[in-house]
């Protein structure tokens, strides 16, 4: 697994140690009365040499990172923006939205809107389960299968020949029905393939079970609890997109709140927003996709710190949108970026492994 990830870290910042220009000067993040306490790194006795070299390099060279935020011990310590982005600007989260949908599913179960993760889709979706490609196995697809991307449907975003590949579905009139009509390729629960349409079904299940749009449910039961007031839901498709098919646009500061909520086992400012058992279950490996551990729409990415391997419980999105939660270091890192459909979007992992972890290892 580490060998796989090392290929993604081709942009290693180890060479930063010899970077001579040190023009960057760290500033304490702003206090905005948004629920975050901030601290000046210089008061914490942390060796900031690697950070100075990193941000000097990022300030002087071309890259597609838009923001980098770091929270440790419940304090926002680093907040940097690049390429015209700032603290107020909402960012397209792409598939990071999937991990937030997993949290919303946990809340829906906690609140009793949905009875159990092993309930079949047919219990909640008020649409015909299939019009084409009938298969008895479709009645066996559960919410758990959608959360682990193991529905068995012919839905693989990373396979251009898959009938359920997301770009193909975006051209269809009825995303929900088209997805349910996909042929079965495997028994439910046996093989996991990256399937965006499965998460659209998750959002639709929450919506139909609660009688609320996914946007309304998210605002009332998650965002309001975290003091998040500025979010948008949208899509890059030129067609009208159903509410359950839209993705989130948020500020990096608010995205960091999601990471802190996960780090704190579902608690924010002393209030239990999501049960701790759901957070543990969602971020614990349940399957693998391309050889990397996967929970309920949350990845487990191994990062190396000396001879030790740390696990980053990670939400990921195309272009470089990341929430990385590392419980062993009481640390949350957030990245946003514009490296869409490019391996450049893996640069944050190199920054984490070569700069952030060695700096905040204690």
């Amino acid at each position: 697994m580490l060998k796989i990830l090392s290929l993604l870290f081709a942009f290693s910042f180890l060479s930063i140690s010899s970077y001579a220009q040190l023009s960057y000067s760290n500033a304490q993040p702003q206090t905005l009365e948004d629920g975050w306490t901030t601290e000046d790194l210089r008061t914490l006795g942390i060796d900031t040499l690697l950070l100075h070299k990193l941000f000097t390099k990022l300030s002087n060279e071309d890259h597609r990172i838009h923001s980098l935020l770091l929270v440790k011990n419940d304090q926002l310590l680093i907040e940097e923006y690049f390429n015209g982005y700032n603290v107020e600007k909402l960012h397209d989260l792409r598939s990071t939205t999937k991990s937030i949908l997993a949290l919303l599913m946990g809340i829906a179960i906690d609140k009793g809107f949905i009875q159990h993760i092993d309930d079949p889709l047919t219990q909640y979706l008020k649409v015909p389960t299939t019009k084409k490609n009938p298969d008895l196995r479709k009645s066996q697809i559960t919410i758990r299968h959608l959360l682990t991307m193991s529905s068995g449907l012919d839905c693989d975003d990373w396979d251009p020949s898959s009938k359920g590949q997301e770009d193909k579905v975006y051209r269809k009139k009825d995303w929900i029905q088209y997805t349910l009509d996909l042929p079965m390729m495997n028994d439910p629960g046996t093989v996991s393939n990256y399937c965006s349409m499965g998460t659209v079904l998750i959002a639709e299940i929450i919506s139909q079970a609660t009688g609320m749009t996914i946007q309304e449910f998210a605002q009332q039961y998650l965002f309001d609890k975290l003091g998040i007031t500025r979010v948008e839901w949208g899509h890059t498709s030129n067609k009208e997109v159903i509410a359950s098919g839209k993705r989130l646009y948020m500020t990096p500061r608010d995205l960091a709140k999601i990471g802190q909520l996960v780090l704190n086992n579902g608690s924010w400012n002393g209030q239990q927003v999501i049960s701790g058992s759901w957070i543990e279950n969602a971020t614990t490996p349940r399957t693998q996709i391309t050889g990397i551990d996967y929970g309920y729409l949350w990845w487990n990415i191994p990062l190396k710190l000396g001879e030790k391997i740390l696990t980053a419980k990670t939400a990921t999105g195309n272009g470089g949108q990341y929430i990385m939660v590392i419980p062993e270091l009481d640390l949350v890192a957030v990245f946003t970026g514009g490296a869409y459909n490019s391996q450049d979007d893996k640069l944050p992992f190199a920054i984490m492994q070569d700069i952030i972890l060695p700096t905040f290892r204690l």
Side-chain angles (χ1 to χ4, degrees):
M1 185 180 300
L2 284 176
K3 289 183 179 179
I4 294 173
L5 288 175
S6 68
L7 295 177
L8 302 180
F9 299 162
F11 308 92
S12 176
F13 267 47
L14 288 174
S15 61
I16 254 179
S17 61
S18 61
Y19 197 79
Q21 186 179 4
L22 292 176
S23 60
Y24 168 80
S25 178
N26 178 74
Q28 180 175 342
Q30 300 177 61
T31 300
L32 300 178
E33 298 183 355
D34 60 353
W36 283 118
T37 59
T38 70
E39 186 58 81
D40 190 329
L41 279 174
R42 292 169 294 188
T43 69
L44 300 179
I46 295 173
D47 184 348
T48 60
L49 178 62
L50 287 177
L51 292 173
H52 279 261
K53 291 180 177 180
L54 166 67
F55 288 120
T56 296
K57 192 175 182 74
L58 291 177
S59 298
N60 287 279
E61 295 188 4
D62 290 335
H63 59 84
R64 287 182 279 181
I65 291 176
H66 293 163
S67 72
L68 192 169
L69 281 69
L70 187 130
V71 180
K72 185 169 172 61
N73 301 328
D74 292 308
Q75 293 182 311
L76 182 60
L77 301 181
I78 296 174
E79 182 179 25
E80 299 295 336
Y81 297 92
F82 310 93
N83 294 310
Y85 281 78
N86 57 55
V87 66
E88 295 292 335
K89 196 166 184 177
L90 299 177
H91 205 286
D92 182 356
L93 301 189
R94 298 294 177 105
S95 288
T96 298
T97 302
K98 292 180 172 68
S99 300
I100 297 175
L101 286 175
L103 302 184
L104 294 176
M105 177 58 75
I107 294 173
I109 293 174
D110 287 344
K111 300 295 182 184
F113 292 111
I114 292 172
Q115 295 178 22
H116 199 277
I117 190 175
D118 290 316
D119 289 341
L121 312 190
T122 53
Q123 188 167 328
Y124 300 99
L125 287 178
K126 302 177 181 66
V127 295
T129 54
T130 185
K131 290 183 177 179
K132 299 178 181 178
N133 300 306
D135 192 312
L136 290 176
R137 291 176 295 178
K138 289 187 178 182
S139 65
Q140 301 169 9
I141 300 173
T142 66
I143 293 170
R144 184 190 301 271
H145 296 144
L146 296 182
L147 290 168
T148 56
M149 295 196 177
S150 60
S151 68
L153 292 166
D154 182 10
C155 182
D156 186 347
D157 294 346
W158 298 342
D159 179 0
S161 68
S162 172
K163 294 181 179 179
Q165 197 272 341
E166 60 177 329
D167 292 326
K168 294 180 181 178
V169 183
Y170 295 157
R171 297 193 290 268
K172 305 300 179 179
K173 182 178 180 180
D174 187 337
W175 295 4
I176 300 294
Q177 190 63 62
Y178 180 84
T179 300
L180 294 173
D181 285 343
L182 290 170
M184 293 292 292
M185 301 296 288
N186 303 287
D187 291 343
T190 59
V191 178
S192 293
N193 292 310
Y194 197 81
C195 173
S196 290
M197 288 306 112
T199 59
V200 174
L201 293 181
I202 287 172
E204 186 65 18
I205 287 170
I206 294 172
S207 180
Q208 292 194 22
T210 62
M212 308 168 71
T213 66
I214 192 66
Q215 292 90 335
E216 293 168 340
F217 183 81
Q219 193 62 52
Q220 179 175 338
Y221 289 100
L222 178 60
F223 298 145
D224 283 350
K225 307 295 184 183
L226 304 184
I228 297 174
T229 59
R230 292 183 60 241
V231 298
E232 293 180 4
W233 295 76
H235 203 277
T236 50
S237 173
N238 293 325
K239 292 186 175 183
E240 186 72 20
V241 175
I242 60 173
S244 295
K246 294 181 179 180
R247 57 178 179 254
L248 277 161
Y249 292 68
M250 296 173 62
T251 67
R253 271 195 176 217
D254 286 342
L255 195 57
K257 290 182 179 182
I258 301 296
Q260 192 65 38
L261 182 71
V262 170
L263 181 63
N264 290 344
N265 295 313
S267 175
W268 176 260
N269 285 342
Q271 180 183 12
Q272 199 70 38
V273 180
I274 309 173
S275 63
S277 60
W278 180 264
I279 297 295
E280 181 179 359
N281 287 331
T283 59
T284 296
R286 303 292 169 183
T287 186
Q288 286 194 336
I289 299 179
T290 62
I292 301 177
D293 288 339
Y294 198 69
Y296 298 157
L297 306 180
W298 282 81
W299 298 89
N300 276 234
I301 308 294
L303 297 174
K304 192 172 184 180
L305 177 60
E307 298 302 315
K308 189 175 184 180
I309 302 299
L310 300 180
T311 298
K313 300 177 184 297
T314 305
T316 74
N318 186 6
Q321 330 315 321
Y322 299 107
I323 308 171
M324 303 185 198
V325 179
I326 304 181
E328 289 180 82
L329 297 182
D330 198 5
L331 184 149
V332 174
V334 164
F335 295 83
T336 59
Y340 300 110
N341 302 313
S342 167
Q343 286 297 302
D344 289 359
D345 73 353
K346 304 303 185 296
L347 175 57
F349 290 107
I351 292 174
M352 287 295 295
Q353 187 160 275
D354 296 344
I355 306 298
I356 302 297
L357 296 187
T359 299
F360 293 94
R361 63 191 306 158
L362 298 179

